[in-house]
Amino acid sequence: MTIRNWIGLAFLLGMASGRLLAQDTNAPVVSITLPAGNVSVLLGETLAVEAGAADDIGVDRVEFLVDGVLQSSDADAPYEWTLTAGSFSAEMHQVVARAWDAAGNHKADSVSIQVLDPAGYPMGATPVAGGVFFRVWAPLASAVALEGDFTATPLAMTAESTGGRWSLLVAGAQVGDAYQYRITGYYGGTLEKMDPCARHVEHSAGWTYVYDSNAYVWGDADFEVPPLDRWVIYEMHVGTFAGRNDGVANSPATFADAVAKIPHLAELGINVVEVLPIGEFPGERSWGYNPSLPWAPESTYGGPDAFKAFVDACHQAGLGVVLDVVHNHYGPFDLDMWQFDGWYNAASPPEWQGGIYFYNDYRADTPWGDTRPDYGRPEVRQHIIDNARFWLAECHLDGLRWDSTVNIRQVNGTDIPDGWLLLQNMNDTVHYVRPQTVTIAEDLQNWDQLTAPTASGGAAFDSQWHATFVHNLRAVLTAVSDGDRNMDLVVAAITPAYGGQSTHQVIYTESHDEDANGHQRMPSEIDSGDPDSYWARKRSTLGAGVVFTASGIPMLFMGQEFHMDGYWADTD
């Protein structure tokens, strides 16, 4: 064949090939094979990305893009690229594999990859794309591992470079998985511990569960809590407020049972419900002032979602919700925070050897056990402040009532400056983050500084339980004859205290403390032989009348509206 013929043949073949390319409109087939679905990766780590591609005239190249920006192009199968997490911000990113053929046709597949910065995540278990990120504070542990539904063998956690925290991203772990920490202690030995920041638990001595804090769908967007000077508080204990609605005998009532009684509260005319503590406690019955896990709404009552449903229902009925929280001590039983990472001060007596979460000296002593948190540790203070923010932000609470703040700021009459700093930091933080939040101190020492601004050395609580109002009124109302009534006590009770501001004092004649601990409800205190007598009913009503008309924020205790008598107990 002559050169001219060869040139002519090549020209014809080229023309045919061009027509074939021009006629090809089929895009390549492409899919990301690795990772298999949305995943997360930690800053500083790498992630292999692979794609499979095919085309009837051949794949020209596969491009890899992150958030629309080209990162790499690979012309040879297998089509691969390595993502380095440190090159991208700690947030969700879209990774795209885009395949091209020689005709210019292209098609893409994508996955979402969440880049995680451990320092930006809270303590506990946080669901993320493709798994769960676990983080725990155990500064003196030799090693920390995870046990749970997502693994047959313990998974070693990584010690972060600072702060004594350990973390691990577990691909495939999911909401509802049970887990616990397996800790090699400071003095040796192996400890199995519940998560101190768990929101959802089996019970106070069981497993903790991965919980999605953002899953609950709220219906209270239109609710606004009344101004503080309009508050009328109703104090209630979930386990005894309402009877069981499911026929279960001899068991405490639940959050769902309480929801069924919300119409009664709305009709009564109160506008704020104050709930006794609900942090997970041992057993089924308790006042709530012995929390084992302060972040976990009591499992017997229904757990976290049931509590959120209660708050939601209150808000939809026009009622605000305040929760009583306990941080002057924890436990003392079923307390996994005790010697959490195995360390304790071996030079202290055994009762003062609580470890990292607690004072390991005389400051551990409280009226309820030797478990006062160590407010001097920044991590413990932050743990408590974060707990307050959890209740307010995640559970939509309108305020917190802090139990026995005198036992946070003092030990047996001696000041604890660290405790005072905690109260100041807590109030400054929550009022900055959520200005509408109301914090109430139960201090009962008649001290103005509780409600004074932090700028002037105070603790900046919005209000506090009046220390003497209830005792003055009870003394007058229970006197047998008019000649025995000291009306100066009434004058003292109704005179504004704590800086002269009415909203700085919560006033009452009945509460969970005053109707127990050796005292009875007002009708029985007035006439123990016949609490249903004319005088018992009239004087107790008169006391309530003073509460509603005196200077201060009025509060009723559940059952007071029915003139209930006798002692209140958590078995009622």
Side-chain angles (χ1 to χ4, degrees):
M1 183 179 292
T2 65
I3 293 177
R4 178 177 296 177
N5 289 337
W6 276 111
I7 293 173
L9 179 61
F11 176 77
L12 292 174
L13 289 173
M15 290 288 291
S17 175
R19 284 195 297 272
L20 287 173
L21 289 175
Q23 292 170 0
D24 180 41
T25 60
N26 296 321
V29 176
V30 61
S31 64
I32 294 178
T33 56
L34 189 71
N38 299 336
V39 297
S40 297
V41 59
L42 296 177
L43 278 175
E45 295 185 353
T46 59
L47 179 69
V49 182
E50 296 183 5
D55 187 77
D56 53 358
I57 64 170
V59 175
D60 180 71
R61 67 190 184 279
V62 172
E63 297 174 337
F64 294 94
L65 303 91
V66 176
D67 300 332
V69 178
L70 181 65
Q71 305 293 323
S72 176
S73 181
D74 192 350
D76 299 311
Y79 305 103
E80 301 171 319
W81 171 63
T82 299
L83 180 149
T84 301
S87 301
F88 301 95
S89 58
E91 59 183 330
M92 190 73 76
H93 298 275
Q94 186 182 50
V95 175
V96 173
R98 185 167 61 193
W100 295 79
D101 64 15
N105 301 309
H106 61 85
K107 193 171 185 180
D109 188 24
S110 67
V111 294
S112 293
I113 295 178
Q114 187 169 3
V115 177
L116 305 179
D117 179 0
Y121 277 77
M123 299 297 103
T126 304
V128 295
V132 177
F133 184 64
F134 296 88
R135 197 168 186 229
V136 65
W137 179 57
L140 298 174
S142 299
V144 181
L146 267 170
E147 298 176 324
D149 290 340
F150 40 77
T151 179
T153 58
L155 302 175
M157 301 184 74
T158 301
E160 297 179 12
S161 58
T162 60
R165 299 173 179 89
W166 301 71
S167 56
L168 183 67
L169 174 61
V170 180
Q174 58 190 347
V175 172
D177 281 351
Y179 72 97
Q180 65 182 5
Y181 298 111
R182 184 180 180 88
I183 297 175
T184 303
Y186 178 81
Y187 294 114
T190 300
L191 309 167
E192 292 182 336
K193 296 288 189 176
M194 301 177 75
D195 191 335
C197 296
R199 272 81 156 165
H200 188 198
V201 301
E202 180 184 13
H203 50 72
S204 62
W207 288 85
T208 48
Y209 298 116
V210 176
Y211 176 71
D212 186 350
S213 298
N214 300 313
Y216 182 84
V217 180
W218 290 88
D220 64 349
D222 295 331
F223 175 75
E224 292 185 9
V225 67
L228 190 55
D229 60 359
R230 302 289 181 88
W231 278 29
V232 180
I233 300 174
Y234 186 93
E235 189 187 29
M236 61 169 284
H237 173 258
V238 173
T240 57
F241 168 65
R244 291 292 292 250
N245 294 321
D246 56 6
V248 178
N250 301 319
S251 293
T254 65
F255 295 125
D257 295 323
V259 168
K261 300 296 184 182
I262 288 176
H264 162 71
L265 297 177
E267 184 180 1
L268 185 62
I270 61 97
N271 56 18
V272 174
V273 176
E274 181 178 309
V275 181
L276 266 64
I278 61 167
E280 186 71 27
F281 50 73
E284 289 191 335
R285 294 188 182 274
S286 171
W287 288 19
Y289 294 93
N290 55 333
S292 299
L293 294 154
W295 294 64
E298 171 60 33
S299 56
T300 301
Y301 296 160
D305 281 351
F307 178 60
K308 291 178 179 180
F310 167 77
V311 176
D312 203 2
C314 283
H315 284 174
Q316 293 184 46
L319 306 178
V321 183
V322 171
L323 180 65
D324 200 339
V325 294
V326 182
H327 294 293
N328 46 51
H329 77 291
Y330 298 135
F333 304 110
D334 288 357
L335 191 58
D336 270 19
M337 284 188 284
W338 183 265
Q339 297 180 359
F340 184 75
D341 63 1
W343 176 84
Y344 54 86
N345 186 350
S348 295
E351 64 270 22
W352 293 347
Q353 294 180 352
I356 58 173
Y357 277 99
F358 305 95
Y359 283 117
N360 283 241
D361 57 24
Y362 72 97
R363 292 171 293 181
D365 179 52
T366 78
W368 312 279
D370 299 297
T371 57
R372 178 179 280 109
D374 185 350
Y375 312 123
R377 286 184 182 266
E379 297 88 352
V380 175
R381 287 201 305 273
Q382 193 61 53
H383 177 82
I384 295 172
I385 292 171
D386 288 345
N387 177 259
R389 296 183 64 178
F390 153 70
W391 291 117
L392 295 167
E394 186 176 317
C395 298
H396 286 207
L397 294 180
D398 305 294
L400 299 173
R401 181 263 197 191
W402 285 68
D403 178 64
S404 192
T405 52
V406 66
N407 281 293
I408 293 177
R409 61 184 184 85
Q410 288 187 345
V411 53
N412 301 320
T414 300
D415 286 343
I416 305 177
D418 301 332
W420 187 248
L421 179 62
L422 164 69
L423 297 176
Q424 292 179 313
N425 289 351
M426 179 277 300
N427 275 312
D428 282 345
T429 299
V430 301
H431 287 136
Y432 175 78
V433 175
R434 294 175 64 86
Q436 72 274 29
T437 295
V438 172
T439 58
I440 302 171
E442 186 227 15
D443 200 79
L444 304 181
Q445 303 301 306
N446 265 332
W447 196 29
D448 290 6
Q449 283 296 91
L450 268 297
T451 46
T454 54
S456 61
F461 281 94
D462 296 286
S463 190
Q464 60 176 307
W465 278 25
H466 198 297
T468 58
F469 182 96
V470 60
H471 305 298
N472 287 9
L473 242 62
R474 282 197 166 212
V476 172
L477 293 169
T478 57
V480 176
S481 66
D482 289 344
D484 294 329
R485 302 187 208 287
N486 182 353
M487 299 308 292
D488 289 338
L489 293 177
V490 177
V491 172
I494 64 176
T495 301
Y498 314 134
Q501 296 192 38
S502 62
T503 56
H504 281 187
Q505 54 196 27
V506 176
I507 56 176
Y508 52 92
T509 57
E510 293 197 25
S511 72
H512 70 279
D513 273 330
E514 298 302 330
D515 289 356
N517 296 320
H519 300 285
Q520 301 185 70
R521 292 177 178 271
M522 280 302 302
S524 295
E525 286 289 307
I526 294 168
D527 189 345
S528 59
D530 185 7
D532 199 40
S533 69
Y534 175 85
W535 293 114
R537 293 172 65 86
K538 291 300 181 182
R539 287 189 207 160
S540 61
T541 301
L542 177 61
V546 176
V547 167
F548 286 122
T549 55
S551 177
I553 300 172
M555 184 180 77
L556 292 175
F557 181 56
M558 62 178 192
Q560 189 173 355
E561 70 270 33
F562 301 122
H563 289 280
M564 288 188 69
D565 55 32
Y567 296 95
W568 174 74
D570 57 26
T571 55
D572 287 354

